[in-house]
Amino acid sequence: MANSDAPSGFKPIKHLNGNPWNGKVNVYYIPATDATATFIGDAVKSAGSATPDGLYPTVAQAAAGDAIRGIVVGFSDQPYVSVNTDNLNEKYRAASVARYAFVVDDPDVIFEVQEDSDGGSIAAASVGLSCDFVVGSGSTVTGKSGMEIDSSDVATAAGQFKLLRVSNKVGNELGDYCKWEVLFREHEMLAATDV
């Protein structure tokens, strides 16, 4: 049975030590000056500022080649509540709207993500290699990211993520649109220099 093409960005599933992901996040801020919509499962990078009180660093959607700060798992109009109190059905952050972002920024969290299968699918022999990701259009209906790992960018050289294994779940198999388990490789907290 072929895999379905259903990108949803990066989904935290467990820690590198084998423990399940415990839901821990840190709060960041995306200012209204950011004109890019942001979705659940998007990779973000530091944006070089913070809220006026300095409590919440700013982030922006990351692109291929960027060092990554973390993965967004939620948004709110307040830093202490994990939903928008003005709109409980809000599933993503619209462009040019200020929101707090709940980000999984632990470099030891493993994520599940779909490959884009552009130019072919990732082979089993690629386990342990690195890859970048591609930014796709997120869904304003589901709030899910359109980000996928770039199957044409798998290499032994530097990449944003390390391929750990094919995600072992029913309905997933090696081939086009396979779901993979990946680990941060180019993470801001692992970098030797300031971001």
Side-chain angles (χ1 to χ4, degrees), residues 15-26:
H15 289 273
L16 187 57
N17 66 8
N19 287 330
W21 178 59
N22 57 14
K24 297 293 184 182
V25 297
N26 278 309

Side-chain angles (χ1 to χ4, degrees), residues 69-151:
R69 185 60 177 212
I71 304 298
V72 176
V73 294
F75 301 99
S76 179
D77 58 343
Q78 301 177 43
Y80 305 111
V81 181
S82 61
V83 296
N84 179 1
T85 56
D86 292 331
N87 179 0
L88 298 178
N89 295 315
E90 185 176 70
K91 296 180 174 128
Y92 72 102
R93 180 207 156 255
S96 303
V97 174
R99 286 289 179 264
Y100 292 93
F102 300 92
V103 177
V104 180
D105 59 1
D106 181 347
D108 289 330
V109 171
I110 295 172
F111 297 88
E112 181 182 271
V113 62
Q114 178 178 295
E115 66 172 278
D116 68 352
S117 300
D118 183 27
S121 57
I122 299 173
S126 297
V127 168
L129 299 181
S130 297
C131 64
D132 281 344
F133 69 89
V134 294
V135 178
S137 297
S139 170
T140 58
V141 175
T142 66
K144 292 182 180 178
S145 170
M147 290 184 175
E148 302 172 276
I149 51 174
D150 188 350
S151 63

Side-chain angles (χ1 to χ4, degrees), residues 38 42-46 59-62 67-72 103 188:
T38 316
D42 273 359
V44 291
K45 62 181 179 179
S46 291
V59 290
Q61 187 184 75
I68 301 166
R69 185 60 177 212
I71 304 298
V72 176
V103 177
E188 291 178 9

